Amino acid sequence: MTSTRATLIQVAERAGVSLASTSRALHGSGASKAMVERVRAAAAELGYSADAIGRSLRLKKTSQIAFAVADIGNPVYVEIMRGIHEVLAPHGYRVVVMSTGDTAASTAELMHSLHGGFVDGMIVIPLRTDDELIEQIGRAPVPVVVIGRAMSDRGISSVSTDSAAGIGAAVQHVVSLGRRRIGFLNGPLDTTPGSSRQRGFDEAVSAKDFAAQTDVEVAADFTVAAGIEAARKLLARPQRPDAIVAANDLLAIGAIRAAHELGLSIPRDVAVTGMDDTELGQVFLPRLTSVSLGSAERGRAAARLMLGLTDDAEAPAQQISVGTELFVRESTRESTPDQTAEDAE
């Protein structure tokens, strides 16, 4: 009698319980553990599949939260998504990953698509923003939480971190090592991360006691390939930098690859720092000195805000700030056996 088209009535008959009890057992509400096991065993035997679409229409709930980013291949977004899932899964939510595209207009179109009712909310990391996008977020028919830019003053709950201060910490670190020709490898300046990290670099090198030479190269994107191309230009300068502060880990890895092409040693000839402290940077050789922006914690914070908004859509907008921390590894220091053992603990 197994069939993927088995009905709820057939499951009830097979389990020997009422239709109402069968429904409660399958939906996990108001049924004993023994009843749930009995009904689910009958459902599995018959190949019964619940009508998820019909149930969503009845409850006006999809149990899905969208996580929207510009580049789903960027490892920092994977770490943020893990934090989101960690908080949402125990509450019965699935995380649906979506691409925003790399423009404010494409992200605004995605906001408009939320009227289709396919998710109960969205956590979004817009690469670029403008007034139209902010207006679309404010008009969204489901709760939206933004990661990356403070927007509570616009009535939008958001999670941010001080990446400008993180860049400042990286600059101070390489200067403390005695490096005096500092190159900054940034991503596009019209993006949220690009503009904030450029501001952090400018503030760090404008300090009264700053005594190093500086140079800046802007990559076409925040990727390894773009980092290689931009770092080649930076390393070809007449005054080649002896340290490169990169705006993210992928650019930093690109810089190391470009340095290796020239036969340069990392960190003896060029010290390199990244930002995001991704798992990729931690296993890359040499392991990457990087500024953590609390990726997993940003995801968890955004998910907690989302849960609050799904419970009360009229709740006031909240702003959460996550701290930064510099982790020093072999890309800026010569490793010793003692240091390697210490890092492994």
Side-chain angles (χ1 to χ4, degrees):
M1 287 184 63
T2 57
S3 170
T4 58
R5 301 182 65 84
T7 67
L8 190 64
I9 293 175
Q10 289 173 321
V11 174
E13 291 175 347
R14 176 59 61 91
V17 299
S18 70
L19 187 61
S21 294
T22 301
S23 178
R24 286 196 301 271
L26 289 175
H27 295 159
S29 61
S32 67
K33 182 179 179 181
M35 178 70 75
V36 170
E37 292 177 352
R38 184 175 177 180
V39 170
R40 288 184 177 176
E45 184 179 347
L46 292 170
Y48 172 78
S49 178
D51 182 3
I53 294 176
R55 183 167 181 258
S56 294
L57 290 173
R58 292 193 301 273
L59 299 178
K60 297 183 178 180
K61 181 178 180 181
T62 68
S63 295
Q64 296 188 151
I65 301 295
F67 176 48
V69 297
D71 179 6
I72 60 177
N74 190 320
V76 71
Y77 295 149
V78 175
E79 294 182 22
I80 292 174
M81 181 179 65
R82 287 174 181 164
I84 293 171
H85 174 76
E86 178 184 326
V87 173
L88 293 183
H91 293 268
Y93 285 103
R94 296 177 296 272
V95 179
V96 180
V97 181
M98 306 182 69
S99 175
T100 63
D102 61 1
T103 68
S106 60
T107 307
E109 290 177 6
L110 188 59
M111 291 297 125
H112 184 71
S113 74
L114 293 175
H115 289 276
F118 59 94
V119 292
D120 299 328
M122 175 178 283
I123 298 172
V124 61
I125 306 180
L127 188 62
R128 294 174 172 86
T129 58
D130 58 17
D131 290 340
E132 172 62 23
L133 172 57
I134 294 172
E135 185 176 339
Q136 285 285 354
I137 294 174
R139 293 204 308 259
V142 296
V144 175
V145 175
V146 172
I147 298 178
R149 176 179 172 181
M151 289 190 178
S152 58
D153 60 332
R154 304 293 293 269
I156 299 167
S157 289
S158 52
V159 178
S160 64
T161 186
D162 194 349
S163 61
I167 289 292
V171 171
Q172 292 172 12
H173 169 63
V174 294
V175 170
S176 73
L177 299 175
R179 308 297 171 134
R180 292 297 179 264
R181 298 186 304 278
I182 315 301
F184 181 44
L185 184 56
N186 200 5
L189 299 178
D190 64 340
T191 63
T192 297
S195 61
S196 62
R197 294 168 201 192
Q198 185 65 54
R199 175 169 52 83
F201 183 78
D202 293 342
E203 290 174 354
V205 303
S206 63
K208 290 183 179 180
D209 59 348
F210 187 81
Q213 298 177 0
T214 63
D215 205 346
V216 176
E217 187 66 40
V218 177
D221 205 345
F222 290 96
T223 63
V224 172
I228 293 173
E229 182 178 353
R232 285 170 178 161
K233 299 175 183 177
L234 196 58
L235 293 169
R237 301 282 204 273
Q239 293 295 318
R240 189 185 70 212
D242 58 10
I244 293 177
V245 173
N248 77 348
D249 281 3
L250 297 181
L251 291 175
I253 290 170
I256 292 173
R257 291 287 303 276
H260 284 164
E261 289 178 354
L262 297 173
L264 300 174
S265 173
I266 308 294
R268 185 187 63 216
D269 298 319
V270 185
V272 178
T273 71
M275 174 166 277
D276 288 328
D277 193 38
T278 60
E279 184 176 3
L280 177 62
Q282 294 170 26
V283 300
F284 187 78
L285 293 177
R287 295 189 308 152
L288 193 61
T289 291
S290 187
V291 178
S292 170
L293 301 180
S295 298
E297 178 53 34
R298 281 186 288 158
R300 288 189 289 265
R304 289 191 291 267
L305 288 176
M306 178 56 64
L307 287 175
L309 290 171
T310 54
D311 288 340
D312 180 8
E314 301 302 319
Q318 297 184 57
Q319 170 63 37
I320 296 177
S321 180
V322 175
T324 66
E325 184 176 359
L326 175 70
F327 289 92
V328 179
R329 302 188 182 93
E330 286 79 14
S331 69
T332 60
R333 73 176 185 202
E334 296 287 355
S335 62
T336 67
D338 289 343
Q339 289 172 334
T340 301
E342 179 183 327
D343 291 338
E345 293 179 353

